[in-house]
Amino acid sequence: MSLFRRKTITAQPPGQQLARTLSWPHLVALGVGAIVGTGILTLIGVGADRAGPAVILSFVIAGAICACAALCYAEMATMIPASGSAYTYSYAVLGEVFAWVVGWSLILEYSLVVATVAVGWSGYAVGFLKGLGIVVPPALANGPALGGVINLPAVLIIAVVAGLLMLGTRESARINTALVVLKIVTLALFVAVALPHFDAANLHPFAPYGYGSEEHAGGIKYGVMGAAAIIFFAFYGFDAISTAAEEAKNPDRDLAIGIVGSMVACTAIYMIVAATAVGAIGFTRFSDSPEPLALILREIGQGRIATIVAAAAAIALPTVLLAFLYGQSRIFLVMARDGFLPKSLAKVSRRGTPARITAVTAVLVAVIAGLAPLDVIASLANAGTLCAFVAVAACVLVMRRRDPAARRPFRTPLAWIVAPLGIIGCCYLFTSLQVVTQVAFFGWNALGLIIYFLFARGMADRRIWENRA
């Protein structure tokens, strides 16, 4: 079989069909729930540590690149309204070997995103409990890299969210929407309380580490672009919406609204919160905190509000877990359908949810979240996402040339400018990641290609012959 054979999108047989229960408000909430989370609640501290007050500019750069990718996703999602996100688009447009690399990268992305968010949630939960006088032992609140044994709160929250997803997509979406509203109210409260303490002196020097991406001790890259490569994590999440294509009631309309609408809303939220944070106190005072917004409030004498924000974050951050764990299970489901994973994992429960693959996914990410440090897994997650974004932008360009008259319910505006800008921007951000991250990413994909040629390709061939028979 050819390495570049392309997948034909067809209806799924009984037992593998997902229930169409989501409308565009659910998808916007899913996107906002995925995008507004660890990036602004936790990683703003990591970004400030690398760029200083210029982290505001890092948010602008990362958001602009993600906007280009989001427009490309909207076009491909409405053209190919099937689960699988960038993996499915690559399989249908670029060919099997490209799809495998993208799918393998998405496994990296989603697993590490869920783990990163769980670790971020743990920081706020532990801080909230401490405010109530309940101290979680450091050995049970940190992984081995931070001197602990296991991050138990992170493991527990993954188990809870996975259980919720197994109950049903509609039920999960309703709870997600309520928690997203709570999260937006929490950020509004932070801005209302911290903004009066804004001091322009805290913005000087604006870019203490420069505007490029320079490597310092430990292989960490500082500067505006170095920070942008990390907090890029804060903007993606709209790709989780594209994994819901088979569960959208009206995919032609709902997917584009969900993807573009959530990006616009979240970009505005980020700019306001980031400017408020770096203006309220000096960035060095919150740059290494696992709960930077709550810390800022305590530093300005608002301890009670800080406890409320920490509590709300602990309650609302699981919306990000829900969105990405949802997306990862759907990508795994499609790869199982295609023969790259065991066929038994493609089975759908009576509620119309992929319960088996959700459980397997939860175990995988719980192990990562329990043992790995936040900055390492966030950086690695970004590498996988950048690969997927480049692939989707490339799919838009290939389809515009291959089939310009194809049905496109949503068309990327200025596609021959937007898509190349997305590709160039993602490639530049990749070069701004830590060298160890780049090496790990290529190592991960080298392992993936070995698995593809030794096992996965043969399984996919057999699945194709079974379907023909």
Side-chain angles (χ1 to χ4, degrees):
M1 292 288 186
S2 171
L3 293 175
F4 305 105
R5 63 184 169 195
R6 300 200 300 269
K7 176 182 179 179
T8 301
I9 307 299
T10 58
Q12 296 303 316
Q16 293 187 14
Q17 294 178 351
L18 300 174
R20 290 193 177 276
T21 58
L22 303 178
S23 57
W24 70 262
H26 293 128
L27 295 178
V28 171
L30 181 68
V32 174
I35 299 169
V36 177
T38 303
I40 196 65
L41 292 171
T42 300
L43 285 183
I44 187 173
V46 178
D49 181 58
R50 286 160 169 74
V55 69
I56 299 172
L57 186 56
S58 299
F59 272 107
V60 172
I61 293 169
I65 293 172
C66 280
C68 292
L71 292 171
C72 294
Y73 263 90
E75 176 166 323
M76 294 308 303
T78 53
M79 279 188 72
I80 306 176
S83 289
S85 186
Y87 161 77
T88 295
Y89 311 149
S90 298
Y91 209 161
V93 177
L94 303 178
E96 182 177 291
V97 69
F98 291 106
W100 171 263
V101 170
V102 171
W104 191 249
S105 296
L106 286 173
I107 290 174
L108 179 72
E109 172 199 342
Y110 277 82
S111 299
L112 297 181
V113 166
V114 174
T116 301
V117 175
V119 173
W121 176 88
S122 175
Y124 272 92
V126 169
F128 168 64
L129 292 175
K130 185 177 181 180
L132 298 178
I134 302 172
V135 179
V136 178
L140 298 180
N142 297 293
L146 297 178
V149 176
I150 187 172
N151 194 324
L152 188 59
V155 173
L156 293 178
I157 192 60
I158 289 172
V160 170
V161 172
L164 178 62
L165 282 171
M166 291 183 206
L167 288 177
T169 302
R170 177 182 295 174
E171 293 79 4
S172 301
R174 288 173 177 170
I175 294 175
N176 178 71
T177 301
L179 293 180
V180 165
V181 172
L182 173 62
K183 187 159 38 178
I184 300 304
V185 170
T186 301
L187 292 175
L189 176 63
F190 168 78
V191 171
V193 174
L195 192 58
H197 295 267
F198 186 93
D199 183 353
N202 290 325
L203 302 181
H204 300 286
F206 185 67
Y209 307 114
Y211 290 89
S213 178
E214 297 182 2
E215 188 169 316
H216 288 239
I220 297 174
K221 291 191 175 181
Y222 287 80
V224 170
M225 294 307 299
I230 289 292
I231 61 175
F232 173 77
F233 179 97
F235 281 93
Y236 61 79
F238 56 82
D239 55 337
I241 298 173
S242 66
T243 66
E246 288 185 31
E247 293 159 279
K249 292 180 179 179
N250 184 357
D252 285 0
R253 178 197 65 186
D254 297 346
L255 292 172
I257 293 175
I259 292 171
V260 177
S262 61
M263 266 299 295
V264 171
C266 293
T267 299
I269 293 168
Y270 278 3
M271 294 303 100
I272 296 171
V273 174
T276 302
V278 297
I281 65 173
F283 75 93
T284 56
R285 293 160 66 185
F286 67 87
S287 61
D288 60 350
S289 172
E291 41 158 6
L293 299 191
L295 174 63
I296 290 169
L297 291 171
R298 285 194 290 269
E299 288 287 318
I300 62 176
Q302 298 290 338
R304 184 172 298 180
I305 300 298
T307 300
I308 294 173
V309 168
I315 294 171
L317 262 180
T319 59
V320 187
L321 285 174
L322 187 147
F324 278 98
L325 196 57
Y326 168 90
Q328 184 184 26
S329 64
R330 270 53 179 181
I331 291 171
F332 277 176
L333 172 69
V334 178
M335 293 182 75
R337 287 173 177 172
D338 293 337
F340 291 131
L341 296 174
K343 184 178 181 180
S344 60
L345 294 178
K347 187 174 178 60
V348 174
S349 71
R350 296 177 184 177
R351 293 178 175 269
T353 62
R356 291 183 182 180
I357 200 69
T358 300
V360 170
T361 301
V363 171
L364 171 65
V365 297
V367 170
I368 300 172
L371 303 177
L374 179 66
D375 58 344
V376 173
I377 50 182
S379 185
L380 273 170
N382 284 355
T385 305
L386 289 167
C387 175
F389 282 9
V390 168
V392 174
C395 286
V396 168
L397 297 179
V398 170
M399 288 304 295
R400 287 293 182 101
R401 178 59 63 89
R402 180 187 296 160
D403 193 355
R407 179 176 174 272
R408 291 175 172 83
F410 177 88
R411 295 180 65 89
T412 301
L414 302 173
W416 290 99
I417 296 176
V418 170
L421 283 177
I423 293 172
I424 294 169
C426 287
C427 290
Y428 186 78
L429 284 183
F430 183 84
T431 65
S432 299
L433 291 170
Q434 300 178 53
V435 174
V436 65
T437 300
Q438 298 167 357
V439 172
F441 173 76
F442 287 119
W444 171 259
N445 274 290
L447 173 63
L449 287 172
I450 291 172
I451 293 174
Y452 170 73
F453 285 109
L454 291 181
F455 305 105
R457 188 183 181 202
M459 290 192 298
D461 288 343
R462 286 193 294 273
R463 183 66 56 82
I464 289 173
W465 287 114
E466 288 173 3
N467 292 338
R468 288 177 178 176

